[in-house]
Amino acid sequence: MDRFRRGFSLMEAMVSASVLGIALAALVRAHASSIQGTSQAEDLGRASEIARQIGDLVATQPMDQLPACGAVTDPVPVAPAGCRASLGPGTVMAASKGSTCTRLVNQDGLVDASTGLLADAASGTEQYRIDMIISQHPNGSTDLGVLHVWVCWRDMTGNIHQTYTTRTKKVGFW
């Protein structure tokens, strides 16, 4: 009977260890997914804030100081018009829109307070790409312009994500 009890206890221990191992593996995977989700949410939040900052900065500038990224007489951009080359998920960035209309920035994309200019990313450290286009308003009015701002970033798997904002201004007040 002692032999049977020892064997049974050993078997119980092995089953318990297996169940515990599976539970720990599941817990580690859930934790990793949680961290990845938090990272993605942080990227989206930062990209949205960069888009808002750039939109507000450019929209408050006088017309003669706007970047040469189109004009209020240009047609509304056709999708995909941002920094991502495809409408859906993808790993390819769109072609650059030029040095003043496509910018690479570090994680915050803040404006330098002393110069009022957007600080470019140090070589090789860019995390976000900003693309801008100025176009006519979709309603066809000749005295309205729209500033389109896209911000893109890559996730850990290489997929490109994009967020977008606009600022509409009336010519003469811009």
Side-chain angles (χ1 to χ4, degrees):
M1 196 71 166
D2 265 346
R3 267 170 112 177
F4 179 72
R5 282 187 180 205
R6 269 190 245 149
F8 190 68
S9 295
L10 182 59
M11 186 177 290
E12 282 180 327
M14 289 174 56
V15 169
S16 296
S18 297
V19 169
L20 183 59
I22 292 169
L24 285 175
L27 184 62
V28 167
R29 184 149 175 97
H31 182 66
S33 294
S34 172
I35 290 172
Q36 186 176 15
T38 301
S39 175
Q40 289 174 351
E42 187 174 330
D43 280 335
L44 177 59
R46 284 186 180 177
S48 297
E49 185 58 29
I50 291 169
R52 281 190 294 272
Q53 286 176 1
I54 299 304
D56 292 345
L57 172 72
V58 174
T60 59
Q61 294 176 342
M63 197 64 131
D64 61 347
Q65 294 179 10
L66 291 177
C69 301
V72 296
T73 55
D74 290 351
V76 176
V78 179
C83 40
R84 188 169 57 190
S86 63
L87 289 175
T91 59
V92 179
M93 289 279 192
S96 173
K97 293 171 181 46
S99 62
T100 58
C101 305
T102 296
R103 305 290 295 268
L104 300 175
V105 298
N106 291 324
Q107 60 186 355
D108 292 327
L110 296 175
V111 174
D112 184 332
S114 62
T115 65
L117 301 174
L118 182 66
D120 285 324
S123 180
T125 63
E126 62 275 356
Q127 287 189 319
Y128 298 95
R129 173 177 158 169
I130 303 165
D131 280 18
M132 294 182 287
I133 295 176
I134 298 171
S135 74
Q136 186 178 40
H137 194 275
N139 73 3
S141 177
T142 57
D143 65 342
L144 291 176
V146 177
L147 169 68
H148 306 267
V149 180
W150 295 268
V151 178
C152 290
W153 69 97
R154 288 187 189 275
D155 65 16
M156 293 183 291
T157 63
N159 287 324
I160 299 169
H161 298 271
Q162 176 174 283
T163 189
Y164 169 73
T165 191
T166 61
R167 296 295 184 270
T168 302
K169 288 294 192 174
K170 184 169 178 60
V171 175
F173 294 100
W174 198 349

